[in-house]
Amino acid sequence: MFSNVPIAKTDTLSRKAILKLTSKATNSLSEFKFEESLTTARLVLRYAIDRKDDYLVAKSYNMIAANFEAMSEVDKAAFYYKKGLAYADRTTNDSIKSSLNNNIGNIYCFELNNLDEGVDYYKKALEYSTKINDSSSIYITKMNIAWAYFYKGNFEKGKPYLDFINKHHSNFGGKSTVVTLKMLNGMFFTNQLEFDKAELFFKNAIKLGQGVSEKSDLSYAHQEYAKLLMKKGDYKNAYENLLLYNSIRKSIEDSNKVKRANIVGVNLELDEYKRKVDTIENEISLQDISLQKSRIIVVLFIIALTVVLLLLYNVYKNNNFKKKKNAELIIANEKLVIAKEKAEEASYLKSQFVSTISHELRTPLYGVVGITNMLLDEHKELADSPYLSSLKFSARYLLSLVNDVLQINKIEENRIVLESLTFNMVDEINMIKNSLSFIAKSHENHINISIDPSIPEYLIGDKLRFSQIIINMVSNALKFTNNGEVNIKADLVKIENKAHFIEFNIQDNGVGIAEEDQEKIFEKFVQIGRKEIDYQGTGLGLSIVKRLLELFDSTISLKSKIGHGTTFTFTIAFDYDPIKTTELINKIQVDLTSNEIFNVLVVDDNKINQLITRKIIEKNNYKCSVVDSGMAALEIVDTAKFDVILMDINMPLMNGFETTKRLRQKGVMTPVIALTAFDKDEIVEEALSAGINDIIIKPFEPALLFKMINQLLYKENQTELV
């Protein structure tokens, strides 16, 4: 979108100096120097207010808002644009009025998804530009209107504006608009299914965009070109263009620049507070609303904490139960046969207990995680709330705890089989480092990585189990280290045929482990040092690591000294086969998000789950219908057509398996995804026999659900569960 920030000229010396500062802020913004631009704009605002110059105040707010828009701070950008417009309306300068209305139109159309209100602002901008005969501003605003209509898929309304900018580009356009002009033509011809014409325009836009310093329009050209290529079935080139789009956006959105600029933004907000003229009644009202939200967050946090304590109590009871059974077996040795039967029964009960508890916990966890995300989406002002952050962390910690218990149970029952997948070890370790950055930051630690360059780029092995080992080891080191470092080191120590033996060292300079405790730490539920410091955890992490390494035919050793840190060492053999690696990589399918609007049916008897699942689906612009029973699902498919069905398993009267069987008997072949809190391994066979196409476990990442839906609807892997 094109922001219109004009610069006026005056013969007055002091006013001219202020305008020169405004020009400096504009130039800094064009170079994405947000901190410098905001600092200068803040200074201009102070001078303008001192002079009581409404025009200069409006220009200052326009520049401040443009910075926040570039940093994707949409709410702040809209606030400052409207504040600037309020001052501009006090002046007789139609140029600044046109500029601010144009920029507010950009916010509503492209950020707030309110096309009608955005176009109203654009039309106001056109009125002012036409009044002063500013052809350049008219051209930019009409280009934005065409883009907004195309962005929403309304090519019929956008076509007259495209015709205008095509006709007048040579007179009023220029290098700053030509890339967008070509891209808009490409979007139009893509919609008209004239793919060859569209492709020429996109390629021309990309070529021109590579020759200018401002790369934002070039990134959008790559994005729209990818959509065309996807429609043509050229998924590889579409994927490459999306990679280029992401790369350019990443280079533009420099997190350090944004972070420093946010500091200046805070100062701007402080200035605003000093100048605010809100009444005391409004302040009291806002405080009451904030207090009410805080109370809600505290209640939710207490609920989550209670669930965590209940789980820990159940885990403790389960551990005591097992110890008691072992003691009974030793005492009653003469009754070995009877004791063996009791032990088998106890093991079965434990598995059933873990499975039941996991299912019963995942269902409310789905609600906690979902409602937390809904609060963040619907109440942006709570994004920085420590209570909401604590709630979200507690929910994730509880989910991790449930998964740890299930993991131990699966290992003990020998239900884990290692897979052979191609993966990049460096990428996996770096991804783990990023995912653990929150723990590292909370303990003020640094994570260092050292990878032997002789290790091949792609290895073959079970990357999921490998990642679990590294995550558990590094997170354990971070928890017992403060103001220190955790080093991850990988060295190639031996090659036998295709097997590459890689030695891993996880080293920290934390509290260390006493020699008498070093053998205990790999036992379940053991936590050394609990008496002195409250380290979070259940004592399952290192036990899981040891057992997973046994699956890799490996062992783990450690060296440690109290107060001098700990080093864990283990070796894993991965295969290296360039031919097989190439075959596996070529089989990887590119997951591109579809532009189609699919109609989804949700079958779930839980009202909270219905609400959360509907929010997730509708947020992705899919249509959603919800029924609360299997019978209702059988009735609604007779009157409506759906692209995919999300089926809960545990429902009264008729469960998800039986409902799916009856759908298939009626001839309904719509793909069905089981949306359940059961462990996948427990229901996969029954799901297949019932006609269910795939399974996803609650709570889940929305991206995983939509990837699964796209794969099923485009007939990728639809005949087998993944």
Side-chain angles (χ1 to χ4, degrees):
M1 295 75 69
F2 288 85
S3 294
N4 194 352
V5 188
I7 299 175
K9 296 181 180 179
T10 179
D11 295 326
T12 305
L13 180 62
S14 58
R15 198 165 188 269
K16 188 173 182 179
I18 296 175
L19 287 170
K20 188 175 181 181
L21 285 174
T22 304
S23 178
K24 179 182 177 183
T26 303
N27 292 334
S28 299
L29 174 60
S30 67
E31 297 172 2
F32 302 104
K33 297 178 180 178
F34 303 121
E35 180 184 16
E36 182 177 326
S37 180
L38 278 172
T39 301
T40 306
R42 181 188 178 199
L43 186 61
V44 170
L45 181 59
R46 288 181 178 176
Y47 287 144
I49 290 175
D50 289 342
R51 289 176 56 89
K52 297 182 179 180
D53 189 324
D54 291 335
Y55 169 75
L56 291 177
V57 172
K59 282 183 67 67
S60 303
Y61 280 126
N62 194 20
M63 179 53 57
I64 291 167
N67 273 274
F68 282 117
E69 183 181 2
M71 293 187 294
S72 298
E73 295 274 1
V74 178
D75 293 338
K76 291 181 181 179
F79 172 79
Y80 285 112
Y81 276 138
K82 289 184 177 179
K83 193 140 188 166
L85 185 58
Y87 280 91
D89 287 340
R90 300 177 188 175
T91 72
T92 58
N93 190 301
D94 292 327
S95 177
I96 189 66
K97 295 176 185 177
S98 173
S99 174
L100 283 160
N101 277 288
N102 174 78
N103 294 341
I104 296 173
N106 287 343
I107 291 292
Y108 274 93
C109 286
F110 297 97
E111 302 295 346
L112 301 179
N113 292 319
N114 191 333
L115 180 63
D116 293 338
E117 191 161 356
V119 171
D120 287 342
Y121 277 105
Y122 283 143
K123 289 181 178 179
K124 290 178 184 177
L126 285 175
E127 289 177 9
Y128 289 118
S129 300
T130 304
K131 184 178 177 182
I132 59 176
N133 198 24
D134 187 348
S135 301
S136 178
S137 294
I138 292 171
Y139 182 84
I140 288 175
T141 303
K142 288 195 173 185
M143 175 171 281
N144 283 339
I145 295 174
W147 196 346
Y149 278 127
F150 287 4
Y151 181 72
K152 289 296 183 180
N154 196 334
F155 289 88
E156 183 177 353
K157 286 189 176 181
K159 179 64 164 57
Y161 295 96
L162 177 64
D163 293 340
F164 176 89
I165 60 177
N166 277 327
K167 180 179 179 181
H168 297 284
H169 176 71
S170 58
N171 295 324
F172 309 128
K175 291 183 179 179
S176 63
T177 60
V178 65
V179 175
T180 301
L181 177 65
K182 300 296 183 182
M183 182 191 71
L184 290 176
N185 278 281
M187 293 171 68
F188 175 76
F189 284 113
T190 298
N191 178 259
Q192 298 297 310
L193 303 181
E194 297 184 40
F195 293 154
D196 292 338
K197 284 186 180 180
E199 187 162 13
L200 287 175
F201 277 110
F202 281 130
K203 287 182 176 179
N204 199 359
I206 291 170
K207 182 178 180 181
L208 292 170
Q210 291 169 344
V212 296
S213 59
E214 206 284 314
K215 300 297 183 183
S216 180
D217 294 337
L218 174 60
S219 70
Y220 294 129
H222 279 297
Q223 185 185 38
E224 295 298 333
Y225 185 31
K227 294 177 182 178
L228 167 64
L229 292 170
M230 187 172 67
K231 287 186 176 182
K232 292 178 65 178
D234 190 355
Y235 299 115
K236 180 179 179 182
N237 283 325
Y239 178 65
E240 291 174 355
N241 274 272
L242 283 180
L243 288 179
L244 290 171
Y245 164 77
N246 289 329
S247 174
I248 295 170
R249 298 311 304 175
K250 185 177 180 182
S251 67
I252 291 174
E253 297 166 359
D254 187 329
S255 60
N256 289 329
K257 291 181 182 178
V258 172
K259 194 178 295 181
R260 292 195 300 270
N262 281 334
I263 296 173
V264 180
V266 170
N267 291 331
L268 276 166
E269 291 176 3
L270 290 174
D271 291 344
E272 287 301 312
Y273 291 143
K274 294 174 185 177
R275 293 188 288 267
K276 70 179 180 179
V277 291
D278 298 326
T279 63
I280 295 176
E281 290 182 357
N282 285 336
E283 291 179 355
I284 294 174
S285 176
L286 288 173
Q287 289 173 0
D288 288 340
I289 293 172
S290 177
L291 180 60
Q292 185 178 2
K293 291 175 181 176
S294 298
R295 287 172 179 167
I296 293 172
I297 293 170
V298 169
V299 170
L300 290 174
F301 175 75
I302 292 172
I303 293 172
L305 184 61
T306 303
V307 174
V308 171
L309 292 175
L310 287 173
L311 176 64
L312 289 175
Y313 175 71
N314 282 315
V315 172
Y316 173 76
K317 283 184 63 180
N318 186 44
N319 188 38
N320 284 344
F321 174 75
K322 187 173 181 181
K323 287 182 178 179
K324 182 180 177 181
K325 286 298 177 185
N326 288 336
E328 289 176 357
L329 286 172
I330 295 173
I331 295 171
N333 190 46
E334 66 277 6
K335 300 178 181 179
L336 185 59
V337 175
I338 298 175
K340 181 181 178 183
E341 293 176 355
K342 288 183 178 180
E344 290 174 350
E345 182 181 357
S347 178
Y348 174 77
L349 289 174
K350 187 200 74 171
S351 298
Q352 291 295 104
F353 172 77
V354 171
S355 176
T356 302
I357 288 296
S358 299
H359 177 270
E360 293 303 317
L361 284 172
R362 276 178 169 152
T363 297
L365 268 177
Y366 183 55
V368 173
V369 173
I371 292 173
T372 303
N373 290 330
M374 285 167 56
L375 283 173
L376 285 171
D377 287 339
E378 296 178 5
H379 299 279
K380 303 296 184 183
E381 71 275 12
L382 298 179
D384 297 325
S385 169
Y387 303 109
L388 201 58
S389 298
S390 298
L391 174 62
K392 195 169 185 179
F393 173 79
S394 297
R396 288 183 175 177
Y397 173 73
L398 179 57
L399 179 59
S400 174
L401 187 58
V402 172
N403 291 335
D404 278 351
V405 173
L406 280 175
Q407 181 82 342
I408 278 289
N409 198 49
K410 284 183 180 180
I411 293 173
E412 289 180 344
E413 296 180 359
N414 297 318
R415 288 195 281 140
I416 293 181
V417 179
L418 295 182
E419 298 179 345
S420 293
L421 301 171
T422 294
F423 71 103
N424 186 309
M425 191 185 73
V426 177
D427 289 348
E428 286 296 316
I429 293 178
N430 280 318
M431 191 181 303
I432 291 168
K433 174 184 176 182
N434 293 335
S435 68
L436 296 177
S437 61
F438 175 79
I439 299 177
K441 186 176 180 181
S442 66
H443 290 263
E444 297 183 3
N445 293 324
H446 295 283
I447 302 176
N448 304 314
I449 298 175
S450 175
I451 307 295
D452 187 346
S454 60
I455 296 175
E457 181 180 7
Y458 289 99
L459 298 169
I460 299 175
D462 194 326
K463 71 173 183 178
L464 175 61
R465 312 303 176 193
F466 167 73
S467 296
Q468 288 177 332
I469 292 170
I470 300 298
I471 287 173
N472 277 312
M473 295 300 301
V474 176
S475 61
N476 189 71
L478 289 170
K479 285 191 291 185
F480 289 91
T481 305
N482 288 292
N483 297 310
E485 294 182 342
V486 174
N487 300 315
I488 306 172
K489 191 170 181 291
D491 295 297
L492 181 62
V493 294
K494 183 173 62 173
I495 300 176
E496 291 183 0
N497 297 323
K498 295 180 180 180
H500 285 53
F501 290 79
I502 302 173
E503 182 184 89
F504 297 90
N505 287 277
I506 312 298
Q507 181 183 40
D508 65 70
N509 54 2
V511 297
I513 304 170
E515 186 174 352
E516 61 271 18
D517 294 329
Q518 291 179 9
E519 290 297 324
K520 302 177 184 177
I521 62 173
F522 295 104
E523 298 175 8
K524 290 185 296 183
F525 306 106
V526 171
Q527 296 169 313
I528 305 301
R530 273 285 191 181
K531 295 180 181 179
E532 297 178 2
I533 304 174
D534 186 20
Y535 296 108
Q536 254 185 341
T538 58
L540 289 173
L542 291 179
S543 178
I544 290 174
V545 166
K546 181 180 178 182
R547 291 165 184 255
L548 287 176
L549 284 172
E550 289 173 357
L551 295 177
F552 283 101
D553 294 326
S554 180
T555 58
I556 187 169
S557 62
L558 70 94
K559 292 181 181 179
S560 183
K561 187 176 180 181
I562 294 294
H564 292 80
T566 305
T567 301
F568 289 91
T569 303
F570 55 91
T571 301
I572 299 178
F574 293 108
D575 285 345
Y576 173 62
D577 187 343
I579 297 175
K580 186 176 180 181
T581 296
T582 302
E583 292 176 354
L584 291 172
I585 291 175
N586 289 336
K587 290 180 181 178
I588 296 175
Q589 300 185 14
V590 179
D591 179 28
L592 295 174
T593 303
S594 171
N595 285 328
E596 295 184 41
I597 299 177
F598 296 122
N599 194 7
V600 181
L601 173 63
V602 175
V603 186
D604 199 320
D605 64 311
N606 187 296
K607 298 296 183 184
I608 296 177
N609 289 354
Q610 291 176 4
L611 172 65
I612 294 168
T613 307
R614 179 190 285 274
K615 283 286 185 182
I616 292 172
I617 291 170
E618 292 181 344
K619 188 177 178 183
N620 201 57
N621 295 324
Y622 288 5
K623 294 180 180 178
C624 180
S625 300
V626 178
V627 294
D628 58 6
S629 68
M631 292 301 298
L634 294 173
E635 292 174 1
I636 197 171
V637 295
D638 290 332
T639 58
K641 179 176 174 56
F642 298 95
D643 297 298
V644 67
I645 300 173
L646 303 184
M647 181 74 66
D648 185 28
I649 297 300
N650 192 21
M651 294 186 295
L653 301 180
M654 184 187 300
N655 63 29
F657 299 129
E658 182 63 26
T659 303
T660 306
K661 286 180 182 177
R662 295 197 182 186
L663 285 172
R664 299 310 187 214
Q665 290 169 1
K666 287 168 65 74
V668 177
M669 292 297 108
T670 304
V672 176
I673 298 175
L675 193 64
T676 178
F678 283 111
D679 188 55
K680 186 174 181 178
D681 293 338
E682 296 178 9
I683 65 170
V684 64
E685 291 184 6
E686 191 170 358
L688 278 171
S689 63
I692 291 175
N693 299 83
D694 216 329
I695 300 170
I696 189 167
I697 307 301
K698 297 182 290 192
F700 55 84
E701 289 295 330
L704 179 60
L705 174 63
F706 295 123
K707 177 181 178 182
M708 191 177 288
I709 291 174
N710 286 333
Q711 286 178 337
L712 287 172
L713 295 182
Y714 288 104
K715 298 184 179 180
E716 296 178 2
N717 302 326
Q718 81 274 27
T719 58
E720 58 178 325
L721 293 175
V722 294

